[in-house]
């Protein structure tokens, strides 16, 4: 049973996904399946981004590499995945958050 449906907006995610190694791609797919299939998602995998309204980061770790995918909910059930990046510092880069917010604004206008 699926509790929500993960969808991708335009080709932002696809461009990010295609650049990843096979092991990272498998972990991303596993994480997205977890988000669809579990009612309660641990913060380890999906966390609200502090200081934003409704912006979430999907957290993926493969070995020592850490990745973040931005997403938001549409009518509570739809998770719209936007851009992603490899995390190399403690804080999420402001430029990545701004990019995600701009993409979400474009989604909401359409």
């Amino acid at each position: 049973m699926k509790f929500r449906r993960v969808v991708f907006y335009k080709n932002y995610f696809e461009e990010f996904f295609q650049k990843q190694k096979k092991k990272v791609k498998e972990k991303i797919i596993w994480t997205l399946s977890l988000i669809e299939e579990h009612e309660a998602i641990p913060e380890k995998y999906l966390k609200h981004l502090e200081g934003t309204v409704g912006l979430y980061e999907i957290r993926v770790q493969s070995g020592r590499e850490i990745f973040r995918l931005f997403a938001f909910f549409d009518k509570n059930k739809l998770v719209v995945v936007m851009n992603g990046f490899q995390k190399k510092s403690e804080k999420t880069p402001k430029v990545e958050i701004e990019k995600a917010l701009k993409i979400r604004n474009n989604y909401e206008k359409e």
Side-chain angles (χ1 to χ4, degrees):
M1 182 177 150
K2 290 190 176 188
F3 288 94
R4 59 196 65 76
R5 196 165 69 103
V6 173
V7 298
F8 306 102
Y9 178 59
K10 295 203 173 167
N11 60 348
Y12 300 104
F13 171 78
E14 187 65 28
E15 286 175 6
F16 164 78
F17 186 77
Q18 291 307 324
K19 294 176 191 166
Q20 306 311 318
K21 293 180 268 190
K22 184 177 187 280
K23 222 175 160 80
V24 173
K25 287 180 180 180
E26 289 169 354
K27 188 66 182 261
I28 290 170
I29 291 166
W30 179 88
T31 306
L32 295 177
S33 295
L34 178 121
I35 290 168
E36 284 187 324
E37 295 165 7
H38 290 79
E39 189 169 14
I41 306 157
E43 263 195 11
K44 179 180 178 181
Y45 301 109
L46 182 70
K47 185 175 191 233
H48 179 258
L49 214 54
E50 285 180 32
T52 70
V53 177
L55 193 61
Y56 291 79
E57 58 180 13
I58 297 169
R59 309 167 111 193
V60 178
Q61 186 163 350
S62 178
R64 292 175 176 253
E65 296 179 302
I66 298 170
F67 299 87
R68 296 291 185 257
L69 308 171
F70 289 108
F72 60 94
F73 289 89
D74 184 358
K75 299 183 181 76
N76 296 331
K77 293 288 181 194
L78 192 65
V79 179
V80 179
V81 179
M82 302 176 297
N83 54 319
F85 69 99
Q86 184 170 358
K87 191 165 181 185
K88 295 183 179 183
S89 64
E90 197 61 35
K91 282 185 84 84
T92 300
K94 198 176 182 89
V95 66
E96 294 293 344
I97 295 171
E98 287 167 0
K99 182 178 175 184
L101 291 170
K102 197 177 287 182
I103 294 168
R104 186 179 72 185
N105 286 343
N106 290 340
Y107 173 87
E108 289 171 347
K109 283 178 189 168
E110 286 183 10

